[in-house]
Coordinates of all heavy atoms in Angstrom, one line a residue:
M1 N 0.8 -1.2 0.0 CA 0.0 0.0 0.0 C 0.9 1.3 0.0 O 0.6 2.2 -0.6 CB -0.9 -0.1 1.2 CG -1.9 1.1 1.2 SD -3.0 0.9 -0.2 CE -4.4 1.7 0.4
A2 N 2.0 1.2 0.8 CA 2.8 2.4 0.8 C 3.4 2.8 -0.6 O 3.5 3.9 -0.9 CB 4.0 2.2 1.8
D3 N 3.8 1.7 -1.4 CA 4.3 1.9 -2.7 C 3.2 2.7 -3.6 O 3.6 3.6 -4.3 CB 4.7 0.7 -3.4 CG 6.0 0.1 -2.8 OD1 6.7 0.8 -2.1 OD2 6.3 -1.1 -3.1
R4 N 2.0 2.2 -3.5 CA 0.9 2.8 -4.3 C 0.7 4.3 -3.9 O 0.6 5.2 -4.7 CB -0.3 2.1 -4.2 CG -1.2 2.1 -5.4 CD -2.3 1.2 -5.2 NE -2.0 -0.2 -5.5 CZ -2.6 -1.3 -5.1 NH1 -3.7 -1.1 -4.3 NH2 -2.2 -2.4 -5.4
T5 N 0.8 4.6 -2.6 CA 0.6 5.9 -2.2 C 1.8 6.8 -2.6 O 1.6 8.0 -3.1 CB 0.5 6.0 -0.6 OG1 -0.6 5.2 -0.3 CG2 0.3 7.4 -0.1
A6 N 3.0 6.3 -2.5 CA 4.2 7.0 -3.0 C 4.1 7.4 -4.4 O 4.4 8.5 -4.9 CB 5.4 6.3 -2.6
R7 N 3.6 6.4 -5.3 CA 3.5 6.7 -6.7 C 2.5 7.8 -7.0 O 2.7 8.6 -7.9 CB 3.1 5.4 -7.4 CG 4.3 4.5 -7.7 CD 3.9 3.4 -8.7 NE 2.8 2.6 -8.2 CZ 2.8 1.4 -7.9 NH1 3.9 0.7 -8.0 NH2 1.7 0.7 -7.5
R8 N 1.4 7.8 -6.3 CA 0.4 8.8 -6.5 C 0.9 10.2 -6.2 O 0.5 11.2 -6.8 CB -0.9 8.6 -5.7 CG -1.7 7.6 -6.2 CD -3.1 7.6 -5.6 NE -3.1 7.3 -4.2 CZ -3.4 6.0 -3.7 NH1 -3.7 5.1 -4.5 NH2 -3.3 5.9 -2.4
R9 N 1.9 10.3 -5.2 CA 2.4 11.6 -4.9 C 3.6 11.9 -5.7 O 4.3 13.0 -5.6 CB 2.8 11.6 -3.4 CG 1.7 11.5 -2.5 CD 2.1 11.8 -1.0 NE 3.2 11.0 -0.6 CZ 3.2 10.0 0.3 NH1 2.1 9.8 1.0 NH2 4.3 9.4 0.7
G10 N 4.0 11.0 -6.7 CA 5.1 11.3 -7.6 C 6.5 11.0 -6.9 O 7.5 11.4 -7.4
E11 N 6.5 10.3 -5.8 CA 7.8 10.0 -5.1 C 8.4 8.8 -5.7 O 7.8 7.9 -6.3 CB 7.5 9.7 -3.6 CG 6.9 11.0 -2.9 CD 6.6 10.7 -1.4 OE1 6.9 9.6 -1.0 OE2 5.9 11.5 -0.9
T12 N 9.7 8.6 -5.6 CA 10.4 7.4 -6.0 C 10.5 6.4 -4.9 O 10.7 6.7 -3.8 CB 11.8 7.9 -6.4 OG1 11.8 8.8 -7.5 CG2 12.6 6.7 -6.9
T13 N 10.2 5.2 -5.3 CA 10.3 4.0 -4.4 C 11.5 3.2 -4.9 O 11.4 2.7 -6.1 CB 9.0 3.2 -4.3 OG1 8.0 4.1 -3.9 CG2 9.2 2.1 -3.4
W14 N 12.5 3.1 -4.1 CA 13.7 2.3 -4.6 C 13.5 0.8 -4.2 O 13.2 0.5 -3.0 CB 15.0 2.8 -3.9 CG 15.3 4.2 -4.4 CD1 15.0 5.4 -3.8 CD2 16.0 4.6 -5.6 NE1 15.4 6.5 -4.5 CE2 16.1 6.0 -5.6 CE3 16.6 3.8 -6.5 CZ2 16.7 6.7 -6.6 CZ3 17.2 4.5 -7.6 CH2 17.3 5.9 -7.6
K15 N 13.7 0.0 -5.1 CA 13.7 -1.5 -4.8 C 15.0 -2.1 -5.4 O 15.2 -2.0 -6.7 CB 12.5 -2.2 -5.4 CG 11.2 -1.7 -4.7 CD 10.1 -2.5 -5.3 CE 8.8 -2.0 -4.7 NZ 7.6 -2.7 -5.2
F16 N 15.9 -2.6 -4.7 CA 17.1 -3.1 -5.1 C 17.0 -4.6 -5.3 O 16.4 -5.3 -4.6 CB 18.2 -2.9 -4.2 CG 18.5 -1.4 -4.1 CD1 17.9 -0.6 -3.1 CD2 19.4 -0.7 -5.0 CE1 18.1 0.8 -3.1 CE2 19.6 0.6 -5.0 CZ 19.0 1.4 -4.0
L17 N 17.7 -5.2 -6.4 CA 17.7 -6.6 -6.6 C 18.7 -7.2 -5.7 O 19.7 -6.6 -5.3 CB 18.2 -6.8 -8.1 CG 17.2 -6.3 -9.2 CD1 17.9 -6.5 -10.6 CD2 15.9 -6.9 -9.1
A18 N 18.4 -8.5 -5.3 CA 19.4 -9.2 -4.5 C 20.7 -9.4 -5.3 O 20.7 -9.5 -6.5 CB 18.8 -10.6 -4.1
T19 N 21.8 -9.5 -4.6 CA 23.1 -9.7 -5.3 C 23.0 -11.0 -6.1 O 22.4 -12.0 -5.7 CB 24.2 -9.9 -4.2 OG1 24.2 -8.7 -3.4 CG2 25.5 -10.1 -4.8
G20 N 23.5 -10.8 -7.3 CA 23.5 -12.0 -8.3 C 22.3 -12.1 -9.1 O 22.2 -13.0 -10.0
T21 N 21.2 -11.3 -8.9 CA 20.1 -11.3 -9.8 C 20.1 -10.1 -10.7 O 20.9 -9.2 -10.5 CB 18.8 -11.3 -8.9 OG1 18.7 -10.1 -8.2 CG2 18.7 -12.5 -7.9
Y22 N 19.2 -10.2 -11.7 CA 19.2 -9.2 -12.8 C 17.9 -9.2 -13.5 O 17.1 -10.1 -13.3 CB 20.4 -9.4 -13.8 CG 20.2 -10.7 -14.6 CD1 19.6 -10.8 -15.7 CD2 20.7 -11.9 -14.0 CE1 19.4 -12.0 -16.4 CE2 20.6 -13.1 -14.7 CZ 19.9 -13.1 -15.9 OH 19.7 -14.3 -16.5
Y23 N 17.7 -8.3 -14.3 CA 16.5 -8.3 -15.2 C 17.0 -8.1 -16.6 O 18.2 -7.7 -16.9 CB 15.5 -7.2 -14.8 CG 16.0 -5.8 -15.1 CD1 15.7 -5.1 -16.2 CD2 16.8 -5.1 -14.1 CE1 16.2 -3.9 -16.5 CE2 17.1 -3.8 -14.3 CZ 16.9 -3.2 -15.5 OH 17.4 -2.0 -15.8
D24 N 16.2 -8.4 -17.5 CA 16.5 -8.1 -18.9 C 15.5 -7.3 -19.6 O 14.4 -7.1 -19.2 CB 16.8 -9.4 -19.7 CG 15.6 -10.3 -19.8 OD1 14.5 -10.0 -19.3 OD2 15.7 -11.5 -20.2
V25 N 15.9 -6.8 -20.8 CA 15.0 -6.0 -21.6 C 14.7 -6.8 -22.8 O 15.6 -7.1 -23.6 CB 15.6 -4.6 -22.0 CG1 14.7 -3.8 -23.0 CG2 16.0 -3.8 -20.8
P26 N 13.4 -7.3 -23.0 CA 13.1 -8.1 -24.2 C 13.3 -7.4 -25.5 O 13.0 -6.2 -25.6 CB 11.6 -8.5 -24.0 CG 11.3 -8.2 -22.5 CD 12.3 -7.1 -22.1
Y27 N 13.9 -8.1 -26.4 CA 14.1 -7.5 -27.8 C 12.8 -6.9 -28.3 O 12.9 -5.8 -28.9 CB 14.7 -8.6 -28.7 CG 15.0 -8.1 -30.1 CD1 16.0 -7.2 -30.3 CD2 14.2 -8.6 -31.2 CE1 16.2 -6.7 -31.6 CE2 14.5 -8.2 -32.5 CZ 15.5 -7.2 -32.7 OH 15.8 -6.8 -33.9
G28 N 11.7 -7.6 -28.1 CA 10.4 -7.0 -28.7 C 10.0 -5.8 -28.2 O 9.3 -5.0 -28.8
S29 N 10.5 -5.4 -27.0 CA 10.1 -4.0 -26.4 C 10.9 -2.9 -27.1 O 10.6 -1.8 -26.9 CB 10.4 -4.0 -24.9 OG 11.8 -4.1 -24.6
L30 N 11.9 -3.3 -28.0 CA 12.6 -2.3 -28.7 C 12.1 -2.1 -30.1 O 12.6 -1.3 -30.9 CB 14.1 -2.7 -28.8 CG 14.8 -3.1 -27.5 CD1 16.2 -3.6 -27.7 CD2 14.8 -1.9 -26.5
L31 N 11.0 -2.8 -30.5 CA 10.5 -2.8 -31.8 C 9.1 -2.2 -31.8 O 8.2 -2.9 -31.3 CB 10.5 -4.2 -32.4 CG 11.8 -4.9 -32.5 CD1 11.6 -6.3 -33.1 CD2 12.8 -4.1 -33.4
P32 N 8.8 -1.0 -32.3 CA 7.5 -0.4 -32.3 C 6.5 -1.3 -33.1 O 7.0 -1.9 -34.1 CB 7.7 0.9 -33.0 CG 9.1 1.2 -32.9 CD 9.8 -0.1 -32.9
R33 N 5.3 -1.4 -32.7 CA 4.3 -2.3 -33.3 C 3.9 -1.6 -34.7 O 3.4 -2.4 -35.6 CB 3.1 -2.4 -32.5 CG 3.3 -3.3 -31.2 CD 2.1 -3.4 -30.5 NE 2.4 -4.1 -29.2 CZ 1.5 -4.2 -28.3 NH1 0.3 -3.7 -28.4 NH2 1.9 -4.8 -27.1
T34 N 3.9 -0.3 -34.8 CA 3.3 0.3 -36.0 C 4.3 0.8 -37.0 O 3.8 1.3 -38.0 CB 2.4 1.5 -35.5 OG1 3.3 2.5 -34.8 CG2 1.3 1.1 -34.6
V35 N 5.6 0.6 -36.8 CA 6.6 1.0 -37.8 C 7.5 -0.1 -38.0 O 8.2 -0.5 -37.1 CB 7.4 2.3 -37.2 CG1 8.4 2.7 -38.3 CG2 6.4 3.4 -36.9
D36 N 7.6 -0.6 -39.3 CA 8.5 -1.7 -39.6 C 9.9 -1.2 -39.7 O 10.2 -0.1 -40.1 CB 8.1 -2.3 -41.0 CG 6.7 -3.0 -41.0 OD1 6.4 -3.4 -39.8 OD2 6.1 -3.2 -42.0
N37 N 10.8 -2.1 -39.3 CA 12.3 -1.9 -39.4 C 12.7 -0.7 -38.6 O 13.7 0.0 -39.1 CB 12.7 -1.9 -40.8 CG 12.7 -3.3 -41.4 OD1 13.0 -4.2 -40.7 ND2 12.4 -3.4 -42.7
L38 N 12.1 -0.4 -37.5 CA 12.6 0.7 -36.6 C 12.8 0.1 -35.3 O 12.0 -0.7 -34.8 CB 11.6 1.8 -36.5 CG 11.9 2.9 -35.6 CD1 13.1 3.7 -36.0 CD2 10.7 3.8 -35.3
A39 N 14.0 0.4 -34.7 CA 14.2 -0.1 -33.3 C 14.5 1.1 -32.4 O 15.0 2.1 -32.9 CB 15.5 -1.0 -33.3
V40 N 14.0 1.1 -31.1 CA 14.2 2.2 -30.3 C 14.9 1.7 -29.0 O 14.8 0.5 -28.6 CB 12.8 2.8 -30.0 CG1 12.2 3.4 -31.2 CG2 11.9 1.8 -29.3
V41 N 15.5 2.6 -28.3 CA 16.1 2.3 -27.0 C 15.8 3.5 -26.0 O 15.3 4.5 -26.4 CB 17.6 2.1 -27.1 CG1 17.9 0.9 -28.1 CG2 18.3 3.3 -27.5
G42 N 16.1 3.3 -24.8 CA 16.0 4.3 -23.8 C 14.5 4.7 -23.5 O 13.6 3.9 -23.4
R43 N 14.3 6.0 -23.6 CA 12.9 6.6 -23.3 C 11.9 6.1 -24.3 O 10.7 6.3 -24.0 CB 13.0 8.1 -23.2 CG 13.8 8.6 -22.0 CD 13.8 10.1 -22.0 NE 14.5 10.6 -20.9 CZ 14.0 10.9 -19.7 NH1 12.7 10.8 -19.6 NH2 14.7 11.3 -18.7
C44 N 12.3 5.6 -25.4 CA 11.3 5.3 -26.5 C 10.8 3.8 -26.4 O 9.8 3.4 -27.0 CB 11.9 5.5 -27.8 SG 12.3 7.2 -28.1
L45 N 11.5 3.0 -25.6 CA 11.1 1.6 -25.6 C 9.8 1.4 -24.8 O 9.3 2.2 -24.1 CB 12.2 0.7 -25.0 CG 12.5 0.8 -23.5 CD1 11.6 0.1 -22.6 CD2 13.9 0.3 -23.3
S46 N 9.2 0.2 -25.0 CA 7.9 -0.1 -24.4 C 8.2 -0.9 -23.1 O 8.8 -1.9 -23.1 CB 7.1 -1.0 -25.4 OG 5.9 -1.4 -24.7
A47 N 7.6 -0.4 -22.0 CA 7.8 -1.1 -20.7 C 6.7 -0.5 -19.7 O 6.1 0.5 -19.9 CB 9.1 -0.7 -20.1
T48 N 6.6 -1.3 -18.7 CA 5.7 -0.9 -17.6 C 6.4 0.3 -16.9 O 7.6 0.5 -17.0 CB 5.5 -2.0 -16.5 OG1 6.7 -2.3 -15.9 CG2 4.8 -3.2 -17.1
R49 N 5.6 1.0 -16.1 CA 6.2 2.2 -15.4 C 7.3 1.8 -14.5 O 8.4 2.5 -14.5 CB 5.0 2.8 -14.6 CG 5.5 4.0 -13.8 CD 4.3 4.6 -13.0 NE 4.6 5.9 -12.4 CZ 5.1 6.0 -11.2 NH1 5.4 5.0 -10.4 NH2 5.4 7.2 -10.7
E50 N 7.2 0.7 -13.8 CA 8.3 0.3 -12.9 C 9.5 -0.2 -13.7 O 10.6 0.2 -13.3 CB 7.8 -0.9 -12.0 CG 6.7 -0.5 -11.1 CD 5.3 -0.5 -11.7 OE1 5.1 -0.9 -12.8 OE2 4.4 0.0 -11.0
A51 N 9.4 -0.9 -14.7 CA 10.5 -1.3 -15.6 C 11.1 -0.2 -16.3 O 12.4 -0.1 -16.4 CB 10.1 -2.4 -16.6
F52 N 10.3 0.8 -16.8 CA 10.8 1.9 -17.5 C 11.8 2.7 -16.7 O 12.8 3.3 -17.2 CB 9.7 2.7 -18.0 CG 10.0 3.9 -18.9 CD1 10.6 3.7 -20.1 CD2 9.8 5.2 -18.4 CE1 11.0 4.7 -20.9 CE2 10.2 6.2 -19.2 CZ 10.8 6.0 -20.4
A53 N 11.5 2.8 -15.4 CA 12.3 3.7 -14.6 C 13.8 3.3 -14.6 O 14.7 4.2 -14.5 CB 11.8 3.6 -13.1
S54 N 14.1 2.0 -14.7 CA 15.5 1.6 -14.7 C 16.0 1.3 -16.1 O 17.2 1.4 -16.4 CB 15.7 0.4 -13.8 OG 15.0 -0.7 -14.2
A55 N 15.1 1.0 -17.0 CA 15.6 0.7 -18.4 C 16.0 1.9 -19.2 O 16.7 1.8 -20.2 CB 14.5 -0.1 -19.2
R56 N 15.6 3.1 -18.8 CA 15.9 4.3 -19.6 C 17.2 5.0 -19.1 O 17.5 6.1 -19.7 CB 14.7 5.2 -19.5 CG 14.5 5.8 -18.1 CD 13.3 6.7 -18.1 NE 13.0 7.1 -16.7 CZ 13.5 8.2 -16.1 NH1 14.4 8.9 -16.7 NH2 13.2 8.4 -14.8
V57 N 17.8 4.5 -18.1 CA 19.1 5.1 -17.7 C 20.3 4.7 -18.5 O 20.2 3.7 -19.3 CB 19.3 4.9 -16.1 CG1 18.2 5.6 -15.3 CG2 19.4 3.5 -15.9
I58 N 21.4 5.4 -18.4 CA 22.5 5.2 -19.3 C 23.0 3.9 -19.5 O 23.3 3.4 -20.6 CB 23.6 6.3 -19.0 CG1 24.6 6.4 -20.2 CG2 24.4 5.9 -17.7 CD1 24.0 7.1 -21.3
G59 N 23.3 3.1 -18.4 CA 23.8 1.8 -18.6 C 23.0 0.9 -19.4 O 23.4 0.3 -20.5
P60 N 21.7 0.7 -19.1 CA 20.8 -0.2 -19.9 C 20.7 0.4 -21.3 O 20.6 -0.3 -22.3 CB 19.5 -0.2 -19.1 CG 19.9 0.0 -17.7 CD 21.1 0.9 -17.8
C61 N 20.6 1.7 -21.5 CA 20.5 2.4 -22.8 C 21.7 2.0 -23.7 O 21.5 1.7 -24.9 CB 20.4 3.9 -22.7 SG 18.8 4.4 -22.1
M62 N 22.9 2.0 -23.1 CA 24.0 1.6 -23.9 C 23.9 0.2 -24.4 O 24.3 -0.2 -25.6 CB 25.3 1.9 -23.2 CG 25.6 3.4 -23.0 SD 27.2 3.7 -22.2 CE 27.4 2.6 -20.9
S63 N 23.5 -0.7 -23.5 CA 23.4 -2.2 -23.9 C 22.2 -2.3 -24.9 O 22.4 -3.1 -25.8 CB 23.0 -3.0 -22.6 OG 24.1 -2.9 -21.7
E64 N 21.1 -1.6 -24.7 CA 20.0 -1.7 -25.7 C 20.5 -1.3 -27.1 O 20.2 -1.9 -28.1 CB 18.9 -0.9 -25.3 CG 18.2 -1.3 -23.9 CD 17.5 -0.2 -23.2 OE1 17.2 0.9 -23.8 OE2 17.1 -0.4 -22.0
G65 N 21.3 -0.2 -27.1 CA 21.8 0.4 -28.3 C 22.7 -0.6 -29.0 O 22.7 -0.8 -30.2
Q66 N 23.6 -1.3 -28.2 CA 24.5 -2.2 -28.7 C 23.8 -3.4 -29.4 O 24.0 -3.9 -30.4 CB 25.5 -2.7 -27.7 CG 26.6 -3.6 -28.3 CD 27.6 -4.0 -27.2 OE1 27.4 -3.8 -26.0 NE2 28.7 -4.6 -27.7
A67 N 22.7 -3.9 -28.6 CA 21.9 -5.0 -29.1 C 21.2 -4.6 -30.4 O 21.2 -5.5 -31.4 CB 20.9 -5.4 -28.1
V68 N 20.7 -3.4 -30.5 CA 20.0 -3.0 -31.7 C 20.9 -2.9 -32.9 O 20.6 -3.2 -34.0 CB 19.2 -1.7 -31.4 CG1 18.8 -1.0 -32.8 CG2 18.0 -1.9 -30.5
G69 N 22.1 -2.4 -32.6 CA 23.2 -2.3 -33.6 C 23.6 -3.7 -34.2 O 23.7 -3.9 -35.4
V70 N 23.7 -4.7 -33.3 CA 24.0 -6.0 -33.7 C 22.9 -6.6 -34.5 O 23.1 -7.2 -35.5 CB 24.4 -6.9 -32.5 CG1 24.4 -8.4 -32.9 CG2 25.7 -6.4 -31.9
A71 N 21.6 -6.4 -34.1 CA 20.5 -6.9 -34.8 C 20.4 -6.3 -36.2 O 20.1 -7.0 -37.1 CB 19.2 -6.5 -34.0
A72 N 20.7 -4.9 -36.3 CA 20.6 -4.3 -37.6 C 21.7 -4.9 -38.5 O 21.5 -5.1 -39.7 CB 20.8 -2.8 -37.4
A73 N 22.9 -5.2 -38.0 CA 23.9 -5.7 -38.7 C 23.6 -7.2 -39.2 O 23.9 -7.5 -40.4 CB 25.2 -5.8 -38.0
L74 N 23.0 -8.0 -38.3 CA 22.6 -9.3 -38.7 C 21.4 -9.3 -39.7 O 21.3 -10.1 -40.6 CB 22.1 -10.1 -37.5 CG 23.2 -10.5 -36.5 CD1 22.6 -11.1 -35.3 CD2 24.2 -11.4 -37.2
A75 N 20.5 -8.3 -39.6 CA 19.4 -8.1 -40.6 C 19.9 -7.8 -41.9 O 19.3 -8.2 -42.9 CB 18.4 -7.0 -40.1
G76 N 20.9 -6.9 -42.0 CA 21.4 -6.5 -43.4 C 20.2 -5.8 -44.2 O 19.3 -5.1 -43.6
D77 N 20.3 -6.0 -45.4 CA 19.3 -5.3 -46.4 C 18.1 -6.2 -46.6 O 17.1 -5.8 -47.2 CB 20.0 -5.0 -47.7 CG 21.0 -3.9 -47.6 OD1 21.0 -3.1 -46.6 OD2 21.9 -3.8 -48.5
R78 N 18.1 -7.4 -46.2 CA 17.1 -8.4 -46.6 C 16.2 -9.0 -45.5 O 15.2 -9.7 -45.8 CB 17.8 -9.6 -47.4 CG 18.6 -9.1 -48.6 CD 18.8 -10.3 -49.5 NE 19.8 -9.9 -50.6 CZ 19.4 -9.3 -51.7 NH1 18.2 -8.9 -51.9 NH2 20.3 -9.1 -52.6
T79 N 16.6 -8.7 -44.3 CA 15.8 -9.3 -43.2 C 15.2 -8.1 -42.4 O 15.8 -7.2 -42.0 CB 16.7 -10.1 -42.3 OG1 17.3 -11.1 -43.1 CG2 15.9 -10.8 -41.2
A80 N 13.9 -8.3 -42.0 CA 13.3 -7.4 -41.1 C 13.8 -7.4 -39.7 O 14.2 -8.6 -39.3 CB 11.8 -7.5 -41.1
L81 N 13.9 -6.4 -39.0 CA 14.4 -6.4 -37.6 C 13.6 -7.3 -36.8 O 14.1 -8.0 -35.9 CB 14.4 -5.0 -37.0 CG 15.5 -4.1 -37.5 CD1 15.3 -2.7 -36.9 CD2 16.9 -4.6 -37.1
A82 N 12.3 -7.4 -37.0 CA 11.4 -8.3 -36.2 C 11.7 -9.8 -36.5 O 11.4 -10.6 -35.7 CB 9.9 -8.0 -36.5
A83 N 12.4 -10.1 -37.6 CA 12.7 -11.4 -38.0 C 14.1 -11.9 -37.6 O 14.5 -13.0 -37.8 CB 12.5 -11.6 -39.5
V84 N 14.9 -11.0 -37.0 CA 16.2 -11.3 -36.6 C 16.2 -12.4 -35.5 O 15.4 -12.4 -34.7 CB 17.0 -10.1 -36.2 CG1 18.3 -10.4 -35.6 CG2 17.2 -9.1 -37.3
D85 N 17.1 -13.3 -35.6 CA 17.2 -14.4 -34.6 C 17.8 -13.8 -33.3 O 19.0 -13.4 -33.3 CB 18.1 -15.5 -35.2 CG 18.3 -16.7 -34.2 OD1 17.8 -16.6 -33.1 OD2 19.0 -17.6 -34.6
V86 N 17.0 -13.8 -32.3 CA 17.5 -13.1 -31.0 C 18.6 -13.9 -30.5 O 19.6 -13.3 -29.8 CB 16.3 -12.9 -30.1 CG1 16.7 -12.4 -28.7 CG2 15.2 -12.0 -30.7
D87 N 18.6 -15.2 -30.6 CA 19.7 -16.0 -30.1 C 21.0 -15.7 -30.8 O 22.1 -15.7 -30.2 CB 19.4 -17.5 -30.2 CG 18.4 -18.0 -29.2 OD1 18.2 -17.3 -28.2 OD2 17.6 -18.9 -29.6
A88 N 21.0 -15.4 -32.1 CA 22.2 -15.0 -32.8 C 22.7 -13.6 -32.3 O 23.9 -13.4 -32.2 CB 21.8 -14.9 -34.3
V89 N 21.7 -12.7 -32.0 CA 22.1 -11.4 -31.4 C 22.8 -11.6 -30.1 O 23.9 -11.1 -29.9 CB 20.9 -10.5 -31.2 CG1 21.3 -9.2 -30.5 CG2 20.2 -10.2 -32.6
R90 N 22.2 -12.4 -29.2 CA 22.9 -12.7 -27.9 C 24.2 -13.3 -28.1 O 25.2 -12.9 -27.4 CB 22.0 -13.7 -27.1 CG 20.8 -13.0 -26.5 CD 20.0 -14.0 -25.5 NE 18.8 -13.5 -25.2 CZ 17.6 -14.0 -25.6 NH1 17.6 -15.1 -26.4 NH2 16.5 -13.5 -25.2
A91 N 24.3 -14.3 -28.9 CA 25.6 -14.9 -29.2 C 26.7 -14.0 -29.6 O 27.9 -14.0 -29.2 CB 25.5 -16.1 -30.2
R92 N 26.4 -13.1 -30.5 CA 27.3 -12.1 -31.1 C 27.7 -11.1 -29.9 O 28.9 -10.8 -29.8 CB 26.8 -11.4 -32.3 CG 27.9 -10.4 -32.8 CD 27.5 -9.9 -34.2 NE 27.6 -11.0 -35.2 CZ 27.4 -10.7 -36.5 NH1 27.2 -9.5 -36.9 NH2 27.4 -11.7 -37.4
L93 N 26.7 -10.8 -29.1 CA 27.0 -9.8 -28.0 C 28.0 -10.5 -27.1 O 28.9 -9.9 -26.5 CB 25.7 -9.4 -27.3 CG 24.8 -8.4 -28.1 CD1 23.5 -8.4 -27.4 CD2 25.5 -7.1 -28.2
V94 N 27.7 -11.7 -26.7 CA 28.6 -12.5 -25.8 C 30.1 -12.6 -26.3 O 31.0 -12.4 -25.7 CB 28.0 -13.8 -25.5 CG1 29.1 -14.8 -24.8 CG2 26.8 -13.7 -24.6
R95 N 30.2 -12.9 -27.6 CA 31.5 -13.0 -28.3 C 32.3 -11.6 -28.2 O 33.5 -11.6 -28.1 CB 31.4 -13.4 -29.7 CG 31.2 -14.8 -30.0 CD 31.4 -15.3 -31.4 NE 30.8 -14.6 -32.4 CZ 29.6 -14.8 -32.9 NH1 28.8 -15.8 -32.3 NH2 29.0 -14.1 -33.8
R96 N 31.5 -10.6 -28.2 CA 32.1 -9.2 -28.1 C 32.3 -8.8 -26.7 O 32.7 -7.6 -26.5 CB 31.3 -8.2 -28.9 CG 31.3 -8.5 -30.4 CD 30.4 -7.5 -31.1 NE 30.5 -7.9 -32.5 CZ 30.5 -7.0 -33.4 NH1 30.4 -5.7 -33.2 NH2 30.6 -7.3 -34.8
G97 N 32.0 -9.6 -25.7 CA 32.2 -9.3 -24.3 C 31.1 -8.5 -23.7 O 31.3 -7.9 -22.5
A98 N 30.0 -8.4 -24.3 CA 28.8 -7.7 -23.7 C 28.3 -8.4 -22.4 O 28.3 -9.6 -22.4 CB 27.7 -7.5 -24.7
L99 N 27.8 -7.6 -21.5 CA 27.1 -8.1 -20.3 C 25.7 -8.3 -20.7 O 25.0 -7.3 -20.8 CB 27.3 -7.2 -19.1 CG 28.8 -7.0 -18.7 CD1 28.8 -6.0 -17.6 CD2 29.4 -8.3 -18.2
I100 N 25.2 -9.5 -20.8 CA 23.8 -9.7 -21.1 C 23.2 -10.6 -20.1 O 23.8 -11.3 -19.4 CB 23.6 -10.2 -22.6 CG1 24.2 -11.6 -22.7 CG2 24.1 -9.2 -23.5 CD1 23.7 -12.2 -24.0

C-alpha cells in the first residue's frame, strides 16, 4: 500500500535486486508495433512504469543500443528487424564481451 501511495504523490520508491540477480529488456520491447524496421532504446522503448524507470538510464540504454546495432547488422538489407534471430544477437554480443 505504501508503494501505491508514494507513486500517486510522484515519489520514487527504490527497490534493489538481490546480489547476483538481474532483469533483462526483451528484444520485442525495442520494436515499435506500428513502424516496420525501426528499433528504439531508452525513453522510447515499451515497458511498464516500474520497468521503464531503470531501463531508460544510461547503462541499460548503452546495452540496448549495442543490441539494436548488432540486430541491424545481422538483418542487413534483406531481413526485417522483427525477424532477426534473437539467439544470434545474444551470441554475437557475448562474443564481443557484452554483459547480457
Side-chain angles (χ1 to χ4, degrees):
M1 187 65 152
D3 286 346
R4 212 174 278 156
T5 302
R7 279 194 301 246
R8 279 196 297 260
R9 292 191 309 243
E11 297 173 11
T12 299
T13 303
W14 294 94
K15 293 183 182 178
F16 295 92
L17 297 174
T19 301
T21 61
Y22 62 93
Y23 67 92
D24 60 6
V25 176
Y27 179 67
S29 69
L30 307 176
L31 303 176
R33 291 181 188 171
T34 58
V35 181
D36 291 335
N37 285 329
L38 175 69
V40 298
V41 300
R43 292 180 178 265
C44 298
L45 65 83
S46 175
T48 63
R49 182 178 188 270
E50 295 80 9
F52 183 66
S54 61
R56 67 181 172 87
V57 295
I58 195 68
C61 285
M62 292 187 316
S63 295
E64 295 156 14
Q66 185 177 14
V68 165
V70 167
L74 289 173
D77 292 337
R78 302 197 187 279
T79 304
L81 286 174
V84 170
D85 180 0
V86 176
D87 290 330
V89 173
R90 284 189 193 109
R92 185 167 292 185
L93 289 168
V94 168
R95 280 197 310 272
R96 292 178 179 217
L99 299 174
I100 63 168

